Amino acid sequence: MAVSGIVITTGGDYKWQWRSPAIDRSSWETRAGRDAAKELKFRALLRHAHAHSPYYANIMRERGLDVETCGSGDFPLLSKSLLMANFDDIVTDRRVTKQAIADFLSRSSDPKERLFNELTVMHTSGTSGEVGYFVYSPADFGRVRSASRRNRELFRGLLPGFGRRLRRLRLAFYGATGGHFAGVTGMASMQQGMAKLFIDARAFEVNTPLPNVIAGLNRFKPDALWGYTTALKMLGDEQRAGRLHIRPAAVAASGETVTKADMQFLSAAFGGANALSLYACTEHLMLGISDPDGETMTLTDDNLIFEFYDDHSVITNLFNHTLPLIRYRMSDILRPISAADAPRIQIESLVGRNEQMPVFLNGAGVKDFISPHIINEMFVKGVTRFQMQITGPSSFRFPICVEAELDDRERAIAAAGVRMRLAEILAQKGLGNVAFVVEIVADIPLNERTRKFQLIVTKKD
């Protein structure tokens, strides 16, 4: 059957068929039309999960849920802890296991490399310090691209003048690049296939000494600059100081809270560039983009079902059939402001995600920073959680939790792997003088005042 341009196939999946552009496009202009289309996507996801995911098949059986009539609210919450504990039963591709992904991530740091030469793997600890694995098939990305085409008006400012120049558009990403992280993986996808014919995408490592980054950007002269909020503001300071001299038409900040003042600063620093805030995460990829007023954000909810709570959010992902995430709990605090029947959901632009910036003195007594994203995107096999505890101007502790089934030898290997990775990060940044201690602990406590976990804390000896 077909509704709003969506055709359900005999295999229970869905695809786009532009039978009548006037009808299909107008259906997305109302909340009722969008919800009807998402309902069909949800049914397709449930059929696939019921047939291929033992975890979800068991939930539906135990709760007596009918694939054709149950709602997303009938499912229990899925936390990152539950996801990792039940990973092998949640994933629908029987080739994929938690062990296979851990082995892949242990040997591969190239974001262009694919598991089984097919599946995109990403990992992150986020602000929870708890490592999570996420995997996507080409078909999953096909569903993302279908939604992106419908949201092209929202994304128009990200790639200024795209397709209207006689050369490729130059796009620079300033962030963590040495692994399977969401930002650089998205950038890597633009360096492959048809995209590379139109976009010259280059990634600049945020953990490289700043003068090297400045020199590289001055040579590249990007038309668009994307990256982490704090890191981009540091580039803005360099631009104002006259050491960086680029003229991007668009600057897009993500990964951290972005205020209206941040966007105004970035726009002014880069000569009136169009400054945007992107809301994205490893679990669900692109979730929203800032509105022109800089104070609100529009969610890209074509493939996502949002539930809003005072201290967290719950999201059901409709496009990832490889690793279904039904009612996945996020610590992000989203505050909707649009009417319930509005075609798109608007929220306050301040998404509640932030982390302390670790700053240390190098051997010459000069301050330098390590991006929190370098810490939260660390991966060492067997390590499940970690925290950076800054103990002095050139020192920190790094407690880690490891998988319970590891024996003494494997625990020692995991701790040694963390020490090696931290040493690499510090050396790359020119902070080889910074002393640190790695220790295995049973648990890492919450902040005593806020009762929330902090990835990076100051904890003086």
Side-chain angles (χ1 to χ4, degrees):
M1 65 178 177
V3 177
S4 303
I6 299 177
V7 177
I8 301 296
T9 68
T10 56
D13 206 344
Y14 59 87
K15 63 181 180 179
W16 282 98
Q17 178 174 306
W18 292 105
R19 300 175 290 101
S20 171
I23 295 174
D24 292 336
R25 288 170 184 165
S26 65
S27 69
W28 288 92
E29 295 175 3
T30 66
R31 172 51 53 186
R34 298 173 73 85
D35 288 346
K38 287 163 66 173
E39 169 68 13
L40 291 179
K41 295 183 181 186
F42 182 60
R43 293 297 150 216
L45 173 67
L46 285 190
R47 294 186 194 103
H48 188 77
H50 184 265
H52 301 286
S53 168
Y55 176 83
Y56 284 111
N58 185 57
I59 286 177
M60 289 183 230
R61 182 176 61 255
E62 288 185 344
R63 296 194 169 205
L65 302 182
D66 186 332
V67 171
E68 301 303 326
T69 60
C70 68
S72 59
D74 295 323
F75 287 79
L77 288 179
L78 177 66
S79 64
K80 189 187 291 184
S81 298
L82 280 173
L83 170 67
M84 295 304 290
N86 297 278
F87 189 90
D88 292 356
D89 284 336
I90 293 176
V91 70
T92 61
D93 187 327
R94 293 295 92 197
R95 298 174 298 171
V96 180
T97 63
K98 188 163 69 170
Q99 183 65 47
I101 289 183
D103 291 342
F104 173 76
L105 293 174
S106 294
R107 66 171 179 78
S108 172
S109 60
D110 182 356
K112 294 189 291 294
E113 189 173 354
R114 301 289 177 259
L115 180 65
F116 309 130
N117 296 316
E118 177 187 351
L119 302 176
T120 299
V121 173
M122 302 181 204
H123 70 89
T124 185
S125 74
T127 56
S128 70
E130 186 175 11
V131 177
Y133 303 156
F134 303 92
V135 59
Y136 303 89
S137 71
D140 299 331
F141 283 120
R143 287 180 275 271
V144 173
R145 285 191 294 273
S146 292
S148 297
R149 286 193 288 272
R150 292 190 301 278
N151 290 312
R152 60 168 58 94
E153 289 300 320
L154 288 177
F155 298 141
R156 189 176 298 278
L158 289 175
L159 298 172
F162 180 62
R164 299 178 184 175
R165 58 188 75 231
L166 298 178
R167 58 169 175 79
R168 291 188 297 168
L169 181 141
R170 291 191 289 263
L171 171 60
F173 171 71
Y174 185 38
T177 66
H180 294 268
F181 320 133
V184 72
T185 299
M187 184 64 56
S189 70
M190 298 182 189
Q191 299 169 331
Q192 299 172 309
M194 291 293 292
K196 68 180 180 182
L197 299 178
F198 305 98
I199 302 176
D200 183 4
R202 301 189 190 180
F204 294 81
E205 171 58 55
V206 72
N207 204 47
T208 300
L210 194 54
N212 297 355
V213 175
I214 300 304
L217 287 171
N218 282 335
R219 289 191 298 270
F220 185 48
K221 300 189 183 306
D223 302 304
L225 177 64
W226 299 1
Y228 307 143
T229 309
T230 304
L232 290 181
K233 289 165 65 178
M234 291 180 177
L235 293 184
D237 289 335
E238 293 296 307
Q239 180 90 356
R240 286 186 159 183
R243 292 182 287 271
L244 178 64
H245 39 87
I246 59 177
R247 291 297 299 269
V251 181
S254 185
E256 302 162 11
T257 297
V258 187
T259 66
K260 183 176 182 179
D262 291 334
M263 287 186 276
Q264 290 173 337
F265 169 81
L266 291 172
S267 177
F270 292 104
N274 182 28
L276 303 163
S277 169
L278 302 182
Y279 175 28
C281 67
T282 307
E283 294 93 329
H284 309 295
L285 305 182
M286 181 66 71
L287 295 93
I289 188 166
S290 59
D291 298 320
D293 63 9
E295 296 180 343
T296 61
M297 175 175 285
T298 297
L299 297 181
T300 54
D301 68 324
D302 305 61
N303 280 321
L304 303 168
I305 299 174
F306 287 87
E307 299 175 44
F308 306 103
Y309 298 92
D310 289 341
D311 61 351
H312 69 283
S313 300
V314 174
I315 301 176
T316 295
N317 184 316
L318 300 175
F319 70 82
N320 192 342
H321 286 204
T322 308
L323 187 69
L325 301 176
I326 301 176
R327 302 202 72 221
Y328 185 83
R329 190 187 193 282
M330 305 278 291
S331 60
D332 300 352
I333 301 171
L334 310 180
R335 305 198 186 283
I337 57 175
S338 55
D341 60 350
R344 292 188 178 276
I345 301 173
Q346 280 188 308
I347 62 170
E348 294 178 2
S349 63
L350 295 179
V351 176
R353 287 193 289 171
N354 231 344
E355 277 296 343
Q356 178 178 337
M357 178 76 74
V359 176
F360 298 105
L361 293 177
N362 63 22
V366 177
K367 289 183 178 180
D368 206 343
F369 75 99
I370 296 177
S371 170
H373 297 276
I374 293 294
I375 305 303
N376 71 36
E377 292 173 343
M378 273 184 53
F379 173 79
V380 175
K381 186 177 178 180
V383 176
T384 61
R385 199 172 193 184
F386 47 78
Q387 183 180 62
M388 174 179 276
Q389 300 175 350
I390 301 171
T391 57
S394 298
S395 65
F396 64 89
R397 284 197 300 267
F398 206 83
I400 63 174
C401 299
V402 299
E403 295 174 355
E405 59 268 24
L406 298 188
D407 58 29
D408 289 345
R409 175 179 170 277
E410 291 167 330
R411 288 164 61 88
I413 291 173
V418 172
R419 293 187 192 97
M420 183 180 298
R421 180 66 188 120
L422 288 172
E424 290 172 350
I425 290 171
L426 293 170
Q428 185 180 27
K429 193 65 172 177
L431 292 167
N433 61 293
V434 174
F436 63 90
V437 174
V438 174
E439 55 184 343
I440 298 176
V441 298
D443 191 25
I444 302 174
L446 303 177
N447 181 300
E448 293 182 1
R449 180 177 60 84
T450 66
R451 304 309 300 162
K452 294 183 179 180
F453 181 83
Q454 290 176 265
L455 180 66
I456 300 164
V457 299
T458 297
K459 198 168 185 178
K460 303 291 186 182
D461 283 326

